Amino acid sequence: AVVAHDQQSDSAGLIDAAVQRVPAQAAVPPGASVALGASTLSVLDPVGGALWALPAESGLEGELDAAQSVEVGRDALAVVSTEGTVFVASADQSALLKLSGVGGQPETIGELPGGEISLTAVGERLVVAASSGGSTLITVVGGGSVELTEPFVRLQQPGPD
């Protein structure tokens, strides 16, 4: 599946590649982050702090239902693994969170490091880059870490192990 996120109209929809059109769209919060992995679609409202983990095939029809969202806090970041697991860096909770796909509830899997944060997933593992003071700490949550002397590193898109 492919998702089109129109940031000017604050809408997102699945693209039907067979007919090259977006058959249905949903309004998303302004500034929302939209990500797709396997059959899970993530919509994160960084201002309101709500996160939706929806089924990709039907998640963008009509309005997003606030009752289907979970609170992850303002200024959060989210990434979806290739298997559909949603990982979140929650600044409000100072925590790294995991939602096991559609309808999952947040589970704390680590502490949020300090600095400028970016996320990716390698297989089913969250990778966090935390840049601060002229260096970057790369951490595989549940694994090891390495400190680089570069002030900021851009992580790859989520991918397999």
Side-chain angles (χ1 to χ4, degrees):
V2 176
V3 174
H5 180 197
D6 185 341
Q7 294 176 341
Q8 289 185 334
S9 69
D10 294 320
S11 65
L14 290 174
I15 295 175
D16 184 341
V19 293
Q20 298 179 349
R21 66 181 182 91
V22 180
Q25 289 187 329
V28 297
S33 169
V34 178
L36 177 67
S39 61
T40 303
L41 177 70
S42 160
V43 178
L44 173 65
D45 177 0
V47 175
L51 173 77
W52 290 263
L54 306 166
E57 296 304 318
S58 61
L60 289 175
E61 295 177 5
E63 295 294 317
L64 293 177
D65 183 357
Q68 293 180 329
S69 70
V70 294
E71 182 65 32
V72 296
R74 296 177 57 139
D75 299 321
L77 299 173
V79 65
V80 183
S81 76
T82 57
E83 298 294 318
T85 301
V86 181
F87 294 104
V88 178
S90 172
D92 280 1
Q93 298 176 28
S94 296
L96 299 169
L97 309 172
K98 173 183 173 180
L99 286 81
S100 296
V102 174
Q105 291 299 310
E107 165 193 348
T108 300
I109 59 170
E111 290 185 24
L112 184 66
E116 186 177 344
I117 302 296
S118 60
L119 306 175
T120 194
V122 177
E124 286 300 290
R125 295 177 292 177
L126 175 62
V127 179
V128 180
S131 297
S132 176
S135 65
T136 301
L137 181 66
I138 307 288
T139 303
V140 177
V141 176
S145 297
V146 63
E147 188 163 355
L148 306 175
T149 57
E150 291 80 22
F152 186 78
V153 175
R154 186 168 197 102
L155 297 174
Q156 69 181 31
Q157 294 294 316
D161 276 328

